[in-house]
Amino acid sequence: QVQLVESGGGLVQSGGSLRLSCVTSGIIFSIYEMGWYRQTPGKQRELVATITSGSSTNYADSVKGRFTISRDNAKNTVYLQMNSLKPEDTAVYYCNADRTTNFWGQGTQVTVSS
């Protein structure tokens, strides 16, 4: 059974930082491209950042220079370090594992107050 479990969300003031974690099980983590996406009510889920199995990264323009995605293959975990948070970063953040099949976590709420 594949599981992706996010943690680390919460309430933070504008300018603050949070670190999200996504622990996976049931997949060969090292061969998957991992990603973080976010969604707000009434809007489509959007890409935040991805990291390939070779650790190449890609970021949405809105988070470049503020967010950093990383992975630890020994721990089957992907991280999202979020700095200089803004109110517009408020969303539910989802972890994604992508190869021939796509898997999602249940999401973790991030709220940034102004």
Side-chain angles (χ1 to χ4, degrees):
Q1 182 182 0
V2 177
Q3 286 191 311
L4 282 66
V5 181
E6 301 102 332
S7 62
L11 173 64
V12 64
Q13 288 190 333
S14 181
S17 297
L18 284 174
R19 188 195 195 201
L20 305 183
S21 300
C22 172
V23 180
T24 71
S25 59
I27 61 171
I28 304 173
F29 178 80
S30 61
I31 66 173
Y32 274 75
E33 177 170 308
M34 301 299 299
W36 287 97
Y37 292 73
R38 65 188 182 187
Q39 189 171 21
T40 54
K43 292 189 177 181
Q44 285 191 332
R45 195 170 294 187
E46 65 175 7
L47 168 75
V48 176
T50 60
I51 184 166
T52 68
S53 58
S55 295
S56 295
T57 58
N58 179 54
Y59 296 93
D61 287 343
S62 59
V63 307
K64 280 181 181 176
R66 300 189 298 123
F67 291 9
T68 302
I69 189 171
S70 61
R71 65 190 298 158
D72 185 336
N73 289 342
K75 295 182 178 180
N76 295 335
T77 301
V78 62
Y79 303 97
L80 185 69
Q81 178 67 44
M82 305 187 295
N83 298 328
S84 302
L85 282 161
K86 304 175 181 180
E88 51 262 46
D89 295 319
T90 295
V92 178
Y93 283 71
Y94 296 91
C95 176
N96 173 262
D98 184 38
R99 189 167 165 84
T100 54
T101 306
N102 213 275
F103 300 102
W104 292 93
Q106 82 288 350
T108 185
Q109 176 71 45
V110 171
T111 303
V112 184
S113 63
S114 57

